[in-house]
Amino acid sequence: MAARSPPAAPAAAAPTRNKLPQLRDRLVAVQPVVLRAAAALAAAVAAVVMALNTQSYTAVVAIVGTRPLTQTFIAEFRDTPAFVYFVIANAIAGAHNLVVLIIRRLTLRRRTASLVVHMLDMVIMALLATGAATAASMAELGKNGNLHARWNPICDRFGSFCSRGGIAIVSSFIGVALMLALNLLSAAANAHRPNMADQ
């Protein structure tokens, strides 16, 4: 009897098995880039929306005879130090992530550079979190006021200003969440990276 040739299916499946780990490695490598780009976009949107946020409101302050006297009030982010800090923090975060994306190849080659970027990412995350939290506290005060201090809410008069400010704050908190995920991935990558001297 003639000997039977072995089936060719396992040999054909071998290249497919080799491609799966390569595809997985590529997806893992792309994740930090996507997260950083999204964080940069979220921070930039928050900074731009808040920086361009302004609204005017005209109110009658007195009546002289039959003639009303009006005064125009303008709400801008510059009027509140918390919003100024918010714009600066988000602008720094957006610029940081953009620069890291540009020099990404250099940071991947050296462990020391990767650790420096990781530490800077943690600083940027803290900066974003404090800026967003500070702005959120002022936004809550502007929306609801403070009965104990007799501070009246202003969002009933500056509705558009408060709405755009809320969008900026939400975008900034999204940036904080993205930076947190990026820091976790970076910490895991640095922990598994072999500790070799820089070439």
Side-chain angles (χ1 to χ4, degrees):
M1 296 178 64
R4 294 181 181 180
S5 59
T16 304
R17 294 178 181 177
N18 293 333
K19 290 181 179 180
L20 290 178
Q22 294 178 359
L23 180 61
R24 182 182 59 187
D25 293 340
R26 290 181 180 178
L27 291 176
V28 171
V30 168
Q31 285 179 357
V33 178
V34 175
L35 287 175
R36 192 174 295 281
L41 180 61
V45 168
V48 171
V49 171
M50 185 64 80
L52 299 179
N53 192 14
T54 180
Q55 183 183 358
S56 61
Y57 170 75
T58 302
V60 177
V61 295
I63 297 178
V64 179
T66 58
R67 182 181 179 182
L69 296 179
T70 61
Q71 184 175 358
T72 300
F73 301 91
I74 300 176
E76 295 179 325
F77 83 98
R78 301 183 187 89
D79 300 332
T80 306
F83 292 158
V84 174
Y85 174 67
F86 175 86
V87 171
I88 294 174
N90 281 274
I92 292 175
H96 163 77
N97 285 305
L98 183 60
V99 170
V100 173
L101 284 174
I102 294 174
I103 63 173
R104 179 174 176 269
R105 291 186 178 180
L106 297 177
T107 60
L108 289 177
R109 295 176 182 176
R110 295 177 178 271
R111 178 179 172 83
T112 303
S114 180
L115 290 175
V116 170
V117 170
H118 177 54
M119 289 187 290
L120 289 176
D121 284 343
M122 290 190 291
V123 173
I124 292 299
M125 184 184 68
L127 186 67
L128 269 182
T130 55
T134 304
S137 66
M138 293 303 300
E140 193 278 334
L141 182 63
K143 181 179 180 180
N144 300 319
N146 190 314
L147 295 178
H148 300 285
R150 295 184 179 180
W151 292 341
N152 296 324
I154 65 169
C155 286
D156 55 343
R157 301 178 182 86
F158 298 95
S160 298
F161 179 82
C162 292
S163 297
R164 289 189 291 265
I167 293 173
I169 293 172
V170 169
S171 180
S172 183
F173 274 115
I174 292 175
V176 173
L178 292 171
M179 289 300 298
L180 176 60
L182 185 63
N183 274 285
L184 293 176
L185 284 178
S186 179
N190 287 322
H192 291 87
R193 181 174 296 182
N195 189 6
M196 297 183 301
D198 292 340
Q199 299 296 331

